[in-house]
């Protein structure tokens, strides 16, 4: 069973098409990068997967089922706009999110303490969210996302606003979740994170898929296309250069645009 399937999915808001006939499949245990600039359709796509938005047309299957409450307990979602109750303590926040995912209070609280300790927040577990630093609150948000040990982890721009230390923590958690059998899908506009972490990636531009594959295959389809398609591909994300590859080898995506233009 595939972890996620989008088949010819389109989402329109009035006359504006936010996602245009998008199709892709994510396998169990993959780390899948969802890349594109602002307005590319990344967040809209994730919201359809979560049943926050309904597609105008097309089919979505999440862990073998249509999006909805049936599989909500097996999902973990961290939105780009972090949302925590400022008057609640760190441990009560994580416990609350665990309860929303169907966990018992005791199980959610025990897992919450484990996560907070792992993130260096054991001594701050009873502090209110509004008394925590921004970095500490971001760790609480991550703990709330992971508390139910989700089979499918959806992270919308998860590195946004994180300092380098917390970026490293999040990368470790993404890799650890995948090693534990979870499927991880994260959206980003920073290529470096995708290069280091992803098995495969998909690039969106103006709601349409312009590339899907892994780093080792990325140069081949781009090199054979016309310049206008290459321009759309290159503009999908702000290329920042390569610092080494993901889990399966060195990253080559930062060189694709330069090499392809040489060939044309």
């Amino acid at each position: 069973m595939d972890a996620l399937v989008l088949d010819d999915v389109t989402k329109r808001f009035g006359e504006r098409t936010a996602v245009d006939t998008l199709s892709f499949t994510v396998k169990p245990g993959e780390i899948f990068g969802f890349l594109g600039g602002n307005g590319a359709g990344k967040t809209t796509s994730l919201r359809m997967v979560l049943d926050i938005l309904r597609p105008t047309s097309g089919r979505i299957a999440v862990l073998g089922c249509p999006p909805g409450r049936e599989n909500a307990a097996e999902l973990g979602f961290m939105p780009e706009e972090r949302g925590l109750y400022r008057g609640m303590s760190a441990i009560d926040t994580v416990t609350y999110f665990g309860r929303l995912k169907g966990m018992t209070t005791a199980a959610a609280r025990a897992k919450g303490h484990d996560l907070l300790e792992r993130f260096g927040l054991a001594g701050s577990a009873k502090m209110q969210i509004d008394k925590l630093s921004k970095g500490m609150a971001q760790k609480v948000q991550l703990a709330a996302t992971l508390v139910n040990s989700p089979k499918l982890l959806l992270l919308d721009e998860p590195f946004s606003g994180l300092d380098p230390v917390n970026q490293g923590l999040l990368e470790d958690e993404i890799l650890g979740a995948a090693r534990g059998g979870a499927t991880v899908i994260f959206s980003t506009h920073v290529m470096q994170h995708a290069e280091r972490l992803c098995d495969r990636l998909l690039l969106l531009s103006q709601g349409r898929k312009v590339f899907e594959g892994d780093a080792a295959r990325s140069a081949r389809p781009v090199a054979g296309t016309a310049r206008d398609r290459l321009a759309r591909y290159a503009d999908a994300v702000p290329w920042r250069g390569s610092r080494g590859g993901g889990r399966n080898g060195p990253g080559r995506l930062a060189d694709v645009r330069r090499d392809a233009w040489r060939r044309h």
Side-chain angles (χ1 to χ4, degrees), residues 89-96 98 103-127 139-140 143-144 146-148:
S89 70
I91 186 57
D92 286 345
T93 297
V94 179
T95 302
Y96 172 72
M103 301 175 70
T104 66
T105 300
R109 200 168 189 84
K111 184 64 179 293
H113 278 297
D114 288 344
L115 287 166
L116 294 177
E117 182 175 4
R118 190 160 90 205
F119 297 164
L121 295 177
S124 306
K126 295 183 179 181
M127 287 182 63
K139 290 180 181 180
V140 175
L146 297 173
V147 64
N148 59 315

Side-chain angles (χ1 to χ4, degrees), residues 27-39:
K27 300 295 184 183
E30 276 193 311
I31 300 178
F32 189 84
F34 209 45
L35 290 95
N38 293 334

Side-chain angles (χ1 to χ4, degrees), residues 3 25-32 178 181-185 199-200 247:
T25 298
V26 183
K27 300 295 184 183
E30 276 193 311
I31 300 178
F32 189 84
T183 303
V184 184
I185 301 172
D199 299 306
R200 291 190 304 123
R247 293 197 293 169

